[in-house]
Amino acid sequence: MNKTHTRAQLRRLGLAAVGAVVVVGVVAGPAAAHSEVSASDPRALAENVTLSFTSEAESDTAGIAELRVVLPKGITPDAVALKEAPDGWKLTATPDGYAIGGAALPTGTDAEYSVTVRQLPDEKSLAFKTLETYGDGKIARWIEVPADGEKVDNPAPLLELKAAAPGAKPIAPGPSASPTQSAAPSPEPSTAATSAPVASASAQATSEKDAGSSTGAIIGGIAAGILLAAAGTFWWLRRDRA
């Protein structure tokens, strides 16, 4: 085998190694879809605030049928009323938040709705952990809350709050309401909800964060090995030319 053929083979190996690193980077990248929240008055202790939510569709085979939201500390289920939602969707109170859903939306259609909250708590930010259920039973979990600026793969909708207005005070809590007394009547159980029971969002966040850490470590090890192989190939080419 002559030197020209050997150099060509090594050059191809080097290009393959670089390509593999790029593929690993793409695989390890964050999901494109996400879930967001905005507020008509994003200030601590603001009253009668409209919260608008958007959950991006990420399934190519089914539409979103239900969203389950865990309310942050300081907002009780009976303090939330439905304002706008897709046709036929209704809101039902749950022990730690609410569920909103109905007939599955067309595939690829984002789920957009809004609720009115009696008063926002005196906090700097509010996380609304969301479980997004599709008509085929698939569940997307937007329940991770980043800490200290870290990036997470499945971030919960996060609302940053400004300082309270001068003189703003917490209002007295209203009477506790049962699910049938909430802003909208209880919807019929969706097929997705009955076929795929949803576990606690906080427990899911912990397990998925641990799984994500393990996956990141494995991918990092693979990438490091590929980079070492590429470096060795480059050194061999330089040595061969010399």
Side-chain angles (χ1 to χ4, degrees):
M1 184 179 295
N2 57 43
K3 290 186 176 181
T4 301
H5 185 65
T6 300
R7 282 197 294 269
Q9 280 189 324
L10 291 173
R11 204 172 283 119
R12 284 195 293 270
L13 287 172
L15 290 173
V18 173
V21 172
V22 172
V23 171
V24 170
V26 171
V27 173
H34 59 280
S35 187
E36 295 181 339
V37 59
S38 61
S40 59
D41 187 359
R43 294 182 296 173
L45 299 180
E47 299 180 30
N48 299 317
V49 178
T50 297
L51 299 181
S52 299
F53 293 85
T54 299
S55 289
E56 290 191 352
E58 60 177 3
S59 173
D60 296 328
T61 59
I64 299 173
E66 183 186 68
L67 300 169
R68 284 177 176 258
V69 176
V70 176
L71 290 169
K73 181 181 179 181
I75 301 179
T76 56
D78 60 283
V80 177
L82 181 61
K83 185 173 183 180
E84 285 187 87
D87 290 343
W89 279 34
K90 298 177 182 179
L91 181 145
T92 306
T94 61
D96 56 1
Y98 61 84
I100 180 170
L105 300 177
T107 302
T109 302
D110 298 342
E112 299 180 348
Y113 72 95
S114 60
V115 297
T116 300
V117 177
R118 187 183 303 136
Q119 184 180 43
L120 298 180
D122 190 6
E123 301 287 347
K124 293 183 178 180
S125 63
L126 303 173
F128 296 83
K129 297 179 181 180
T130 301
L131 303 183
E132 187 177 289
T133 303
Y134 290 81
D136 58 2
K138 175 186 174 183
I139 299 177
R141 296 173 171 84
W142 302 103
I143 56 178
E144 295 181 278
V145 181
D148 301 326
E150 69 174 346
K151 293 183 178 180
V152 294
D153 292 334
N154 301 285
L158 190 67
L159 180 64
E160 301 289 344
L161 298 183
K162 300 177 182 178
K169 296 180 180 179
I171 59 177
S176 177
S178 66
T180 55
Q181 294 174 321
S182 58
S186 173
E188 292 295 325
S190 66
T191 302
T194 55
S195 61
V198 179
S200 166
S202 58
Q204 290 289 343
T206 301
S207 61
E208 290 191 6
K209 185 173 181 180
D210 292 341
S213 298
S214 299
T215 303
I218 294 172
I219 292 176
I222 294 173
I226 294 173
L227 286 174
L228 285 174
T233 301
F234 178 76
W235 175 84
W236 182 267
L237 286 171
R238 292 290 299 273
R239 176 178 177 276
D240 188 59
R241 287 178 181 175

